[in-house]
Amino acid sequence: KAGVTQTPRYLIKTRGQQVTLSCSPISGHRSVSWYQQTPGQGLQFLFEYFSETQRNKGNFPGRFSGRQFSNSRSEMNVSTLELGDSALYLCASSASGGSSGANVLTFGAGSRLTVL
Amino acid sequence: DQQVKQNSPSLSVQEGRISILNCDYTNSMFDYFLWYKKYPAEGPTFLISISSIKDKNEDGRFTVFLNKSAKHLSLHIVPSQPGDSAVYFCAASAVANAGGTSYGKLTFGQGTILTVHP
């Protein structure tokens, strides 16, 4: 069973640009969550999508957005990049997003974004 | 506001000995707790979990203990192996208590770097 796949693995952008990251969940998983990992803040929840609908959202500015497609694949977008957006962006999938029992989150390897 | 705290940034243990990783939380709404392990250049990997209705869960060499009154949980690894060397994250979720608003959301601690020496 293939795991969670994130692309690209590494990317470098400059301030003011925008970036789109992609996530393919485990087959059959309908919930996709996104997290940001930085040395100072640790792993922080961005948002969760299920059946193409955002069901939950963390405390991030509107520059961070996402979407989910009918095949459960998800993308997140960060516009007007700032230096502080440099981070590892992790995608996780689960069957229904419940975060417990059989629905524990399975993470991808992440996309490492560097903003110069 | 750090709702989940791992106060030890690092832990060093000899192979064969017990590793004990600790985690404290402040939010009484949390009712499900998980431990993830992370190697460099990889995403976190689920290790073991525990529901708030239990005080212990065991899976092979890994045991998680939950003390709800103290809002404290710990992960015991016995015996520790060099391959266990990684960053360990404690995470919490409000499942039953959140009225359906906790979807996909885990609150993580800052992580503890475990080094197991041969």
Side-chain angles (χ1 to χ4, degrees):
Chain A
K1 193 172 181 182
V4 178
T5 304
Q6 293 188 244
T7 57
R9 289 294 311 276
Y10 303 92
L11 66 166
I12 299 173
K13 294 284 186 178
T14 56
R15 278 181 299 173
Q17 287 188 310
Q18 73 162 15
V19 66
T20 299
L21 309 176
S22 180
C23 173
S24 293
I26 289 173
S27 178
H29 282 188
R30 296 171 63 189
S31 169
V32 173
S33 303
W34 287 89
Y35 285 78
Q36 181 196 63
Q37 185 183 15
T38 59
Q41 298 295 321
L43 276 141
Q44 292 192 297
F45 173 73
L46 279 154
F47 30 64
E48 187 260 2
Y49 287 87
F50 182 86
S51 292
E52 303 177 65
T53 300
Q54 186 184 88
R55 293 194 301 188
N56 204 358
K57 190 176 187 304
N59 296 324
F60 279 82
R63 300 185 297 108
F64 291 82
S65 62
R67 59 177 176 168
Q68 186 180 37
F69 302 95
S70 58
N71 61 359
S72 293
R73 190 178 70 86
S74 177
E75 289 180 348
M76 68 161 283
N77 183 278
V78 188
S79 62
T80 320
L81 284 166
E82 301 176 359
L83 295 178
D85 296 333
S86 294
L88 179 67
Y89 289 89
L90 292 158
C91 166
S93 76
S94 71
S96 63
S99 308
S100 68
N103 287 315
V104 290
L105 301 186
T106 301
F107 284 85
S111 293
R112 171 75 63 185
L113 170 65
T114 301
V115 182
L116 302 176
Chain B
D1 172 22
Q2 193 88 33
Q3 298 186 56
V4 177
K5 293 181 185 179
Q6 294 176 255
N7 291 319
S8 298
S10 63
L11 175 68
S12 183
V13 170
Q14 206 66 31
E15 181 179 6
R17 298 290 185 100
I18 184 172
S19 295
I20 300 176
L21 297 104
N22 293 302
C23 178
D24 297 297
Y25 63 96
T26 57
N27 190 337
S28 301
M29 297 283 278
F30 289 145
D31 55 9
Y32 200 78
F33 304 89
L34 309 91
W35 285 93
Y36 280 83
K37 177 171 74 173
K38 187 179 185 301
Y39 294 117
E42 295 183 13
T45 303
F46 169 71
L47 206 52
I48 191 170
S49 62
I50 188 167
S51 163
S52 61
I53 62 173
K54 295 185 174 181
D55 54 19
K56 177 183 174 182
N57 189 26
E58 201 169 346
D59 184 2
R61 296 185 298 114
F62 304 92
T63 303
V64 56
F65 296 91
L66 175 63
N67 182 333
K68 278 201 303 182
S69 60
K71 293 191 174 67
H72 176 83
L73 65 154
S74 61
L75 174 68
H76 292 210
I77 307 174
V78 184
S80 301
Q81 300 173 353
D84 296 329
S85 297
V87 181
Y88 287 77
F89 290 96
C90 165
S93 177
V95 180
N97 293 332
T101 61
S102 69
Y103 296 118
K105 180 178 180 179
L106 294 177
T107 301
F108 283 86
Q110 295 287 81
T112 296
I113 301 170
L114 173 65
T115 304
V116 180
H117 299 283

